[in-house]
Amino acid sequence: MIKGLLAAVAVVFAGVVGYKILEKKNPALIKKVKGSIDEAGEKMGSILTDAKESFYEGYAQG
């Protein structure tokens, strides 16, 4: 269990260090990725809203 915890801490540390390096070297890339994630979240929200409305319409009819 200790080895797994240490491995998780090492992965998180490496991720943070990697993120900071990328942010310093290429900040435009970070902004582009964040924008893509935001767009994907908005699209997913729209899809879920449409699915919910379709379900309610189908449930009301049947």
Side-chain angles (χ1 to χ4, degrees):
M1 181 165 154
I2 299 289
K3 288 182 183 180
L5 184 60
L6 289 175
V9 169
V11 168
V12 169
F13 180 75
V16 170
V17 170
Y19 174 80
K20 292 294 183 181
I21 291 171
L22 268 176
E23 187 177 41
K24 192 173 189 176
K25 296 283 185 179
N26 195 355
L29 178 66
I30 299 296
K31 289 180 183 177
K32 185 177 178 181
V33 170
K34 284 182 180 179
S36 296
I37 291 171
D38 288 341
E39 288 176 13
E42 290 173 5
K43 288 180 184 177
M44 184 56 83
S46 175
I47 290 170
L48 291 175
T49 301
D50 292 344
K52 183 176 79 171
E53 290 174 0
S54 296
F55 174 76
Y56 285 138
E57 288 174 2
Y59 186 71
Q61 292 178 358

